[in-house]
Amino acid sequence: MKKEEISLEAKIKYVAERFVEEIQDKEIQVISHFDTDGITSAAIMIKALKKLDKKFSVKIMKSLEKEFIETLDKDKLTIFLDLASSSLEIIEKHFTKEVFVIDHHEIIQEVPERINIINPQLHSKQKISSSCLTYLFCKQLDPENKDLAKLAILGMIGDMFGDEIDKLDNGILEDGDIKRKRGLLIYPSTRPLNRTLEFCSNPYIPGVTGDIKGVLELLREVNLAPPKGGKYKSLMELDEEEMERLVTGIMLRNPRTTNREMLGDIFLIKLFNKLEDARELSAMVNACSRLGESGTAIQLCMEIPKAKKKAQTIHARYRQFIISGLKFVEETEKIQGKDFIIINAKDNIKDTMAGTIASILSKSSLYEEGTIIINMAYYDDKIKVSGRMVGENGRSVREILAKVVDEIGGEVGGHRFAAGAIISRTKEQEFIDLLKKNLELEIVKI
Ligand code: C5P
Ligand code: C5P
């Protein structure tokens, strides 16, 4: 993939101008990804297109497969959000007209001429979410679209780019009227501690996350248990000394968590006229989508009142799924080698949650820095594969998965430290054998 000569900002402006020229007389179809970044990107685009009074349709996808692309209407003006960078060849073959892509995933080929793409990988490789790119694009369509900036930031949080928000020098934070405060990164900060800690996955606390007995033990140990019959305090209600005791207690159980990781900036976004913790909102959006309710996820971002209660209920169900998924991983036999671990969850973890579980494990203290975690889950006659790197020192997960998938067939894409694939179920054993071989081979080479 050749780098482009112009800056990302100039490219956004150029592509937006092409888009305005192309949409004059056409119906638009928006295809977006189903995680928080994709949903916020879609919500931003929907609001912008509504303002322009354009006719459009939206499809939210958990992945972009060849068979799906081939069903898309060629006469509509198509814009892909938060996906498509690894499917440019198939897209070019299918469409006869110009196509638009706003994405931040790795690109593996030269960009075909008919594809107008905004992707930081072609420029300075800045870590920026698709939602921010979509926002900057929509602001080019109409500078009045500033009210969508909060959704752009929500997408950044969804993709774990919170640390990168400060580096955004394009006014998004200011546009979005985002509040921030420094605090313990565990959330939500308003629920009783016993509940918050039970569902705490970032950081994952061994012996505490998903383990009520362990939670109560920890709280007793740090002297935060309430008097008999009383209620546990919430994080917000702790004084400085209590907070310090809790942080120490958590750090003792997860020695890899440092103070720096435990404390950080918490971004507060106004939704339904109430300031909310962006991480909680992001988790809610993600939960809806991953449990098959992407419509509710989009409505939540668009502040449609009835969506809030529904999203809260779905989120509660999703948290239970996470806990049972983590329990399954703990108890099941895993394929383990030096620097890698393969979990073949089959039907025991929902395919849409394979990535979430792998992400949580990669942030836990269970595995050494540099370990590649591969999680496999069935769906239909296929297998969803999610790969994550523990830390940021190691081989490219995307490259390793791509090598295997190239050989056995399927879809693959993602980033260096987080990538995914879809393969046929008939290839299950072949995939595992080849993957093991590749993971072991790479080690020998190093
Ligand atoms: O679709 P995609 O980019 O959105 O996937 C998001 C997932 O990838 C999240 O789990 C996020 O933590 C992870 N990710 C990562 N490092 C990156 C980009 C994404 O760990 N550089
Ligand atoms: O699905 P999962 O969360 O494991 O995906 C990790 C990353 O790889 C995400 O950024 C996702 O968008 C990307 N991915 C992809 N193509 C696939 C599967 C995952 O680009 N077929």
Side-chain angles (χ1 to χ4, degrees), residues 33 35 82 104-105 127 159-161 359 363 388 415 418:
H33 191 215
D35 68 5
D82 195 37
H104 65 160
H105 295 103
K127 278 189 176 175
D159 263 11
M160 316 261 179
F161 286 168
S359 281
K363 290 183 176 69
R388 297 289 185 274
H415 315 269

Side-chain angles (χ1 to χ4, degrees), residues 42-315:
I44 291 168
M45 187 58 76
I46 291 171
K47 284 201 155 185
L49 292 177
K50 273 193 167 175
K51 256 195 192 164
L52 290 174
D53 204 21
K54 288 285 161 200
K55 201 167 170 202
F56 63 91
S57 61
V58 181
K59 282 201 177 88
I60 303 295
M61 306 302 298
K62 60 180 170 187
S63 63
L64 197 56
E65 292 174 55
K66 186 169 176 276
E67 297 76 21
F68 167 75
I69 295 172
E70 286 167 352
T71 63
L72 288 170
D73 189 339
K74 293 182 192 179
D75 292 323
K76 289 187 181 163
L77 183 92
T78 309
I79 181 157
F80 293 95
L81 304 176
D82 195 37
L83 33 72
S85 287
S86 50
S87 310
L88 299 182
E89 203 178 331
I90 307 162
I91 290 171
E92 200 217 3
K93 272 205 188 114
H94 177 70
F95 288 94
T96 43
K97 300 198 178 88
E98 288 196 29
V99 175
F100 292 80
V101 176
I102 303 179
D103 189 19
H104 65 160
H105 295 103
E106 285 189 18
I107 304 180
I108 41 171
Q109 60 158 120
E110 293 309 323
V111 177
E113 220 171 90
R114 254 183 300 117
I115 299 183
N116 296 293
I117 183 166
I118 295 172
N119 186 326
Q121 301 286 335
L122 293 165
H123 306 273
S124 58
K125 293 202 170 195
Q126 183 188 358
K127 278 189 176 175
I128 181 167
S129 61
S130 300
S131 59
C132 283
L133 298 169
T134 308
Y135 170 70
L136 294 171
F137 174 86
C138 290
K139 219 167 101 172
Q140 284 293 329
L141 301 182
D142 179 359
E144 291 289 295
N145 279 335
K146 272 187 177 178
D147 56 322
L148 307 176
K150 59 185 179 185
L151 295 176
I153 296 295
L154 189 51
M156 282 293 275
I157 300 286
D159 263 11
M160 316 261 179
F161 286 168
D163 290 349
E164 304 290 321
I165 288 178
D166 261 342
K167 297 181 202 147
L168 297 174
D169 52 2
N170 36 30
I172 301 183
L173 257 188
E174 297 75 25
D175 288 355
D177 190 20
I178 312 291
K179 303 261 174 307
R180 68 159 102 194
K181 63 174 190 198
R182 198 111 186 118
L184 197 60
L185 287 176
I186 293 173
Y187 76 94
S189 47
T190 47
R191 301 176 81 206
L193 268 178
N194 52 332
R195 302 298 290 164
T196 303
L197 290 173
E198 185 191 351
F199 295 108
C200 180
S201 56
N202 193 13
Y204 177 94
I205 316 170
V208 174
T209 304
D211 183 341
I212 300 171
K213 249 172 65 194
V215 169
L216 301 184
E217 230 165 77
L218 169 67
L219 287 169
R220 238 191 339 265
E221 205 178 286
V222 297
N223 208 9
L224 283 174
K228 232 184 160 76
K231 214 171 137 211
Y232 282 90
K233 285 188 182 175
S234 71
L235 269 177
M236 297 262 277
E237 291 163 339
L238 298 185
D239 62 31
E240 216 166 289
E241 201 210 315
E242 289 171 325
M243 184 77 94
E244 227 162 73
R245 288 207 303 271
L246 178 63
V247 171
T248 309
I250 293 172
M251 279 166 68
L252 283 174
R253 278 170 171 76
N254 185 346
R256 275 230 315 276
T257 9
T258 59
N259 234 326
R260 199 177 62 83
E261 278 171 314
M262 297 277 288
L263 298 165
D265 277 335
I266 294 165
F267 294 89
L268 300 170
I269 291 176
K270 204 177 238 179
L271 214 70
F272 298 102
N273 231 355
K274 192 169 164 244
L275 270 183
E276 306 268 7
D277 186 330
R279 295 163 306 166
E280 182 76 352
L281 288 177
S282 163
M284 247 155 84
V285 172
N286 206 23
C288 291
S289 234
R290 287 184 190 268
L291 291 185
E293 297 268 359
S294 52
T296 306
I298 290 196
Q299 285 174 356
L300 182 71
C301 292
M302 295 178 70
E303 299 178 73
I304 295 171
K306 66 171 188 210
K308 195 174 177 184
K309 190 102 208 113
K310 201 165 168 202
Q312 280 165 341
T313 312
I314 297 170
H315 187 198

